[in-house]
């Protein structure tokens, strides 16, 4: 849509020709405020607006009244709830795993206080002062002027935004909704923001660190890489540099403008006319993220072996091919724990039937057992759609395990999307979930350890699902899908894990997630890191990516790899929670003999670091921290850190500065304090930039703090099966430390 002068069209999604039967309703000043069972209920009238470009009240239309409920929870959380559709507030659903207790609120005049007397919200009930001299423009419409203090910090007000240039020209509405005909259809809420305020999070966002000045469609879709605005993992949560978080509890399509449509306002628009917003306070970003996890669930701890190297490509086609690769990994002492079989283990490539090809994998149980004896775990690709040629199709359709389609699909086998398949498994239907889990159980009983829950960001939209309309299911689908796979894997294999691409709020409970189909290029590497940092700022602890990028450029399947990209991506991958090699052509290091010795040394370093990685993973499961951490998580009061997206902390102690260009150079920002180069032992002062630092291909800048104590494994191993973590040693970064010899 072309930009206009009107918020009605540019943000509220009205038809710019004004031909649709839709109406905007704006919140006016509250009429009543009362206590009710520990909550505060505020009655807010909404005035219909004339069906025109400039906003003006339709005085002939009766007002509609709705109740804004304010509820407090422990750990500095406020909840704002209002529904124009008759929805009831819930404390438990697929997204919510409330690990916080409700706390009573009291009304004291125009202030709302908690049981300890702290002010948690206040209302401005008197009209703003006027000095009348002109009637050129109409007066502003009444508005609800309400300010919230989730952590009772008066220096961090979160105020509803009645943002306008002139009374007819609005840039944001404090509260509002839209009707089509007589039915409420979508709703909006807005908060004031500061000129220098920064925003992060919102999912695996492939954008710069500070997201201010951007508007995002929170609609899961195939990202088709890591360098555009599409997103596999949208999370309706943001974190502000003013140190509060906002979680919009919904699975509906929605829109979030972070100081974009107006630099004075954060605006949220939901396609369903219910607003359920959690405002989360805290003195650090970690406290805020922990509060978010207390609402939506903490990550589970992945198994030890998952922190080793995963080897894959698109794709291996036979047991003989896989065993030959695994044998060579062992013979040449490339440490590795997981072999992943992508799209080629079925009787026909991409035709997902959850069964091994009987000719190319004649005895899959024995094949998996042989690999297990050598220390390899098997991961399998599949997806949540049933193909037209699949042997399970008739059964799935007869029992409605897949949502019945309202019309025939136009094409098949062309774009690797839901539309290539006959239907989407309906995880809103318990019988369908049990059927899907029975398919996985046969594989897990053979010894498979992980299911790659690929896709899931799109579903068939022209289908009927048991539990909800497809528009409401699409975003939530990833959570239902991954939960089904995770639960049966944990039940049968004894350890919970998936390898997932799509996500929504709550998916962090079911690790782990990887970054999708990145290009094997420098910009693919940079985009992957940005996505991982924002995902870590959205409640996720564990995250991976395809080394050295998934697809080739310019020929998607066939262009050769850049060996420098391979090495630099390997170095980056060593310092992420999980590391998998995967893509459209050969990924095994011996195919690149000039760099293979470098790669092997970095793999060996990864295994030496596993005691540290495992320790940090356990911490992440009970805190708000991810393993891959944006600098702002440790330095929220350093303005530089809200803009840096090419450096990160790896756990508590490592500061990682990946090299992402062929020149081997980069600028490095070291936050305040003293720093030690992990590989050379050289000391540096922080609080400044080191410009144009140069690093040969076999080196990467990694820094630690003096006094850090880092657990390491004392010997090289071929897999984690050979590890006894009780034998880990501690490397102390003291005055005698002269660098770690790679």
């Amino acid at each position: 849509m072309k930009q206009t002068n009107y918020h009605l069209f540019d943000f509220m999604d009205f038809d710019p020709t004004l031909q649709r039967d839709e109406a905007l309703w704006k919140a006016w000043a509250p009429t009543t405020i009362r206590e009710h069972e520990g909550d505060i209920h505020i009655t807010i009238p909404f005035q219909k607006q004339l069906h025109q470009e400039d906003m003006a009240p339709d005085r002939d239309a009766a007002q509609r009244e709705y109740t804004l409920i304010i509820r407090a929870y422990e750990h500095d959380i406020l909840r704002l709830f209002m529904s124009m559709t008759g929805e009831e507030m819930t404390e438990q659903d697929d997204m919510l795993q409330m690990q916080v207790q409700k706390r009573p609120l009291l009304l004291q005049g125009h202030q709302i206080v908690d049981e300890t007397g702290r002010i948690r919200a206040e209302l401005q009930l008197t009209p703003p002062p006027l000095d009348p001299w002109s009637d050129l423009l109409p007066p502003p419409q009444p508005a609800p002027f309400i300010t919230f203090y989730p952590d009772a910090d008066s220096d961090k007000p979160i105020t509803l935004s009645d943002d306008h240039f002139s009374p007819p020209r609005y840039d944001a509405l404090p509260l509002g909704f839209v009707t089509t005909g007589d039915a409420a259809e979508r709703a909006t809420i807005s908060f004031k923001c500061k000129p220098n305020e920064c925003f992060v999070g919102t999912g695996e966002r492939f954008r710069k660190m500070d997201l201010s000045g951007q508007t995002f469609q929170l609609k899961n879709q195939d990202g088709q890489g890591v360098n555009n605005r599409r997103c596999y993992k949208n999370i309706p949560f943001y974190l502000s540099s003013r140190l509060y978080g906002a979680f919009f509890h919904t699975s509906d399509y929605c829109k979030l403008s972070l100081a974009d449509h107006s630099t004075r306002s954060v605006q949220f628009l939901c396609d369903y006319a219910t607003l359920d917003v959690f405002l989360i306070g805290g003195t650090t970003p970690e406290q805020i993220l922990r509060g978010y996890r207390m609402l939506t669930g903490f990550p589970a701890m992945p198994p030890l072996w998952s922190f080793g190297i995963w080897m894959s490509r698109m794709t291996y086609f036979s047991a003989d091919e896989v065993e030959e690769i695994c044998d060579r990994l062992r013979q040449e002492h490339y440490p590795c724990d997981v072999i992943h079989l992508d799209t080629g283990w079925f009787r026909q490539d991409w035709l997902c039937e959850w069964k091994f090809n009987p000719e190319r994998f004649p005895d899959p149980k024995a094949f998996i057992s042989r690999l297990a004896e050598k220390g390899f775990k098997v991961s399998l690709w599949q997806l949540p759609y049933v193909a037209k040629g699949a042997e399970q199709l008739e059964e799935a359709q007869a029992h409605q395990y897949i949502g019945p389609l309202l019309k025939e699909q136009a094409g098949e086998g062309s774009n690797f999307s839901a539309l290539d398949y006959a239907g989407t498994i309906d995880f809103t239907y318990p019988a369908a979930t049990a059927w899907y889990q029975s398919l996985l159980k046969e594989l897990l009983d053979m010894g498979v350890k992980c299911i790659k829950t690929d896709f899931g960001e799109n579903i068939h939209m022209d289908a009927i699902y048991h539990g909800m309309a497809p528009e409401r299911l699409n975003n939530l689908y990833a959570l239902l899908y991954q939960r089904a796979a995770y639960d049966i894997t944990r039940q049968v294999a004894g350890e919970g894990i998936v390898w997932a691409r799509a996500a929504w709020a709550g998916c962090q409970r079911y690790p782990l997630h990887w970054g999708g189909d990145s290009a094997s290029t420098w910009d693919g590497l940079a985009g992957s890191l940005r996505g991982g940092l924002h995902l870590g700022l959205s409640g996720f602890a564990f995250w991976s990516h395809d080394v050295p990028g998934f697809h080739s450029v310019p020929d998607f399947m066939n262009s050769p790899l850049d060996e420098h990209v391979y090495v630099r991506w390997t170095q980056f991958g060593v310092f992420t929670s999980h590391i998998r090699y995967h893509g459209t052509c050969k990924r095994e290091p011996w195919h690149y003999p000039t760099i293979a010795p470098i790669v092997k040394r970095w793999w060996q370093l990864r295994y030496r670091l596993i005691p540290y990685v495992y320790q940090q993973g356990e911490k992440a499961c009970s805190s708000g921290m991810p393993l891959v951490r944006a600098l702002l998580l440790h330095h929220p009061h350093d303005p530089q850190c809200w803009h840096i997206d090419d450096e990160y902390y790896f756990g508590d102690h490592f500061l990682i500065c990946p090299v992402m260009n062929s020149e081997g150079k980069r600028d490095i920002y070291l936050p305040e304090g003293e720093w030690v180069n992990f590989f050379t032992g050289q000391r540096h002062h922080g609080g400044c930039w080191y410009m144009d630092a140069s690093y040969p291909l076999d080196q990467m800048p990694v820094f630690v703090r003096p006094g850090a104590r880092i657990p390491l494994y004392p010997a090289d191993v071929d897999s984690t099966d050979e590890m006894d973590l009780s034998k880990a040693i501690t490397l102390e970064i003291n005055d005698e430390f002269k660098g770690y010899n790679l």
Side-chain angles (χ1 to χ4, degrees), residues 266-389:
V266 174
Q267 303 182 62
F268 177 77
L269 177 67
C270 184
D271 270 8
Y272 196 72
T274 293
L275 297 168
D276 193 5
V277 186
F278 291 85
L279 298 176
I280 307 167
T283 58
T284 67
E286 188 274 334
Q287 289 180 4
I288 296 165
L289 288 170
R290 187 167 68 245
Y292 170 75
R293 288 179 179 173
M294 295 184 82
L295 298 174
T296 59
F298 284 82
M301 183 64 181
L304 172 65
W305 54 261
S306 74
F307 295 100
I309 303 289
W310 298 48
M311 179 51 65
S312 174
R313 73 166 88 143
M314 185 184 155
T315 179
Y316 302 132
F317 287 103
S318 71
D320 289 343
E321 180 185 19
V322 171
E323 291 196 75
E324 180 182 348
I325 288 169
C326 290
D327 287 344
R328 186 163 182 181
L329 286 165
R330 290 293 179 257
Q331 290 163 7
E332 300 187 16
H333 297 291
Y334 286 95
C336 182
D337 267 79
V338 184
I339 193 79
H340 171 72
L341 279 61
D342 215 60
T343 63
W345 60 282
F346 312 113
R347 62 182 173 90
Q348 178 182 329
D349 191 18
W350 281 93
L351 182 62
C352 176
E353 295 178 303
W354 297 276
K355 291 186 176 181
F356 281 92
N357 182 303
E359 296 178 357
R360 293 185 278 114
F361 296 88
D363 189 347
K365 185 173 183 178
F367 160 69
I368 294 168
S369 178
R370 289 193 299 272
L371 293 180
E373 290 174 0
K374 299 170 186 176
F376 289 100
K377 312 298 187 291
V378 173
S379 165
L380 294 180
W381 178 92
Q382 51 83 81
L383 40 59
Y385 317 121
V386 179
K388 290 182 179 178

Side-chain angles (χ1 to χ4, degrees), residues 215-234:
T215 296
F216 301 105
Q217 306 285 339
L218 301 184
K219 175 185 183 298
N220 281 358
Q221 59 190 122
D222 189 336
Q224 299 176 31
V226 298
N227 297 100
N228 57 65
R229 65 173 58 203
R230 292 182 294 271
C231 192
Y232 306 100
K233 308 173 187 66
N234 288 279

